Amino acid sequence: MATGASIEAKGLTKVYGEGPSAYHALGPIDLDIAPGEFVSLIGPSGCGKSTTLLLVSGLEPQTAGTVAVDGKPLTAPISDVGIVFQDHLLLEFRTAMKNVMLQQEIRRLDRKRIEERAHTLFARLGLEGAEQRYPWQLSGGMRQRVSIARALVHDPSMLLMDEPFGALDAITRTQIRHDLEMLWLDTRKTVLFITHSIEEAVGLSDRVLVMSKGPGTIVDEIRIDLPRPRPAHLGEYPEFAAYAKRIYATFEKLGVYQFH
Ligand SMILES: Nc1ncnc2c1ncn2[C@@H]1O[C@H](COP(=O)(O)OP(=O)(O)O)[C@@H](O)[C@H]1O
Ligand SMILES: [Mg+2]
C-alpha cells in the first residue's frame, strides 16, 4: 500500500491572466506537509484555497514559487493523487462501481486488483448495496462517498479535498467526517483538506492553516492536539473551543468577520 507523500511549497504564487486583467489570486505561501499528515486549509471565499489545490496537484501552473511532492519538483499534473471536489462530478450514466472503476480504465490498471480495492472501499465507506446504483439514485452523502472511493481506489499517496462536504447537511457531514477520519487512520495518506468549516478543520486535522482574504497568505498555523478518533460533538473537548476561538479571532482581526 502506498504510504503518504510529503508536500512542500515555497513562495507559491498565482496570478491569473496577464496585463491589465491580471489578477493576483494567491500567495506567496509556503507549505511543509509531512508524509501521512492531515492538514486543513481554512479561509474566506475567494482567498485562493481551490487555487492552492490546483497548484499542488500540478493541474494549474504557478506564477512563482515551487511545489515538490516527495522532494520531486512538480512540472506536470501528478498521477499519484486522488482529488475530491465539492461537486461529486460522477458520471450520471455510469453506476457507482463503474464511476469508481473509471480510474482503472483511464490509468490502465489491473482490473481485478482495482475491483477488489473498490469493494473494500465500498464496504469501508458504508456503500454496500450501492454498487449498481446510478448517481441519481444516491443521496448527496452517498455520492460524496463514491467520490472518495474513486479518489482512493488506485491507492494514491495523497488525497486533495476541496470542500468535499460543503453541500451536505450537518448530520451527514458529521458522519462522513468520522468515516473519513477512520479511513485515514487506517491508510495514512497525506491529506490536504480545504474547508470553510472550523468544526471540520479542527475535527479532522493534525494541523490547520488559516488563510487571509485574497490574495491569500497563511496567517496562522494551529497544531490540533486532540486524541483520535474524535467525537461527533467536539464540544466534549474544552480545547476545541480554544482552537475555534483562535480561528474566529484571526478572521475578525483580518476583517473577514465584522461583528459590532
Ligand atoms: N481561472 C481563473 N481566472 C481568473 N481568476 C480566477 C480563476 N480561478 C479563480 N480565480 C479568482 O481567484 C480568486 C481565488 O479563487 P479560488 O482559489 O477559487 O478561491 P477559494 O477556493 O478560496 O474560494 C478568486 O477571486 C477567483 O475569482
Ligand atoms: Mg474554492
Side-chain angles (χ1 to χ4, degrees), residues 40 170 173-175 177-178 181 193 195 197-205 208 224-244 247:
S40 285
R173 285 172 85 131
T174 303
Q175 182 63 54
R177 158 163 73 76
H178 172 73
E181 185 185 27
F193 186 93
T195 181
S197 159
I198 292 176
E199 184 165 357
E200 230 163 65
V202 176
L204 279 164
S205 309
V208 178
I224 308 297
D225 194 13
L226 298 175
R228 291 184 186 274
R230 294 173 183 163
H233 177 51
L234 291 159
E236 285 176 28
Y237 298 122
E239 299 93 327
F240 170 72
Y243 292 132
I247 299 170

Side-chain angles (χ1 to χ4, degrees), residues 49-51 162-163 194:
K49 300 183 297 299
S50 297
T51 298
D162 192 353
E163 302 189 35
I194 287 167

Side-chain angles (χ1 to χ4, degrees), residues 9 67 74 95:
V67 189
L74 278 196
T95 62

Side-chain angles (χ1 to χ4, degrees), residues 17-189:
E18 282 174 17
S21 66
Y23 183 79
H24 182 186
L26 174 76
I29 64 164
D30 293 343
L31 297 171
D32 193 358
I33 304 177
E37 199 180 11
F38 198 121
V39 173
S40 285
L41 211 52
I42 188 166
S45 185
C47 77
K49 300 183 297 299
S50 297
T51 298
T52 305
L53 185 139
L54 293 173
L55 299 186
V56 166
S57 62
L59 287 171
E60 182 77 51
Q62 66 267 32
T63 309
T66 56
V67 189
V69 172
D70 265 347
K72 290 185 274 299
L74 278 196
T75 50
I78 41 173
S79 58
D80 185 21
V81 67
I83 309 182
V84 182
F85 296 98
Q86 176 170 346
D87 183 342
H88 56 82
L89 301 178
L90 299 175
L91 299 175
E92 293 296 331
F93 54 87
R94 291 180 77 118
T95 62
M97 181 54 79
K98 285 226 155 95
N99 264 285
V100 171
M101 289 303 287
L102 204 56
Q103 295 272 30
Q104 177 263 329
E105 293 170 32
I106 291 170
R107 294 166 186 269
R108 298 173 187 279
L109 302 169
D110 181 72
R111 186 178 181 87
K112 201 157 174 290
R113 185 173 61 87
I114 299 299
E115 223 162 41
E116 266 169 34
R117 273 190 61 81
H119 282 293
T120 307
L121 282 165
F122 270 65
R124 287 301 313 267
L125 287 160
L127 284 169
E128 291 119 322
E131 290 88 346
Q132 302 313 323
R133 294 211 214 146
Y134 289 87
W136 52 270
Q137 295 175 307
L138 301 171
S139 66
M142 298 280 265
R143 287 197 289 263
Q144 279 312 62
R145 288 168 189 272
V146 175
S147 304
I148 296 171
R150 182 181 55 185
L152 289 173
V153 76
H154 55 298
D155 200 20
S157 51
M158 68 188 204
L159 183 59
L160 306 177
M161 307 183 89
D162 192 353
E163 302 189 35
F165 312 146
L168 306 178
D169 67 87
I171 293 175
T172 305
R173 285 172 85 131
T174 303
Q175 182 63 54
I176 201 167
R177 158 163 73 76
H178 172 73
D179 295 344
L180 175 65
E181 185 185 27
M182 297 307 280
L183 198 57
W184 173 79
L185 282 169
D186 256 14
T187 56
R188 297 286 175 167
K189 308 286 179 197

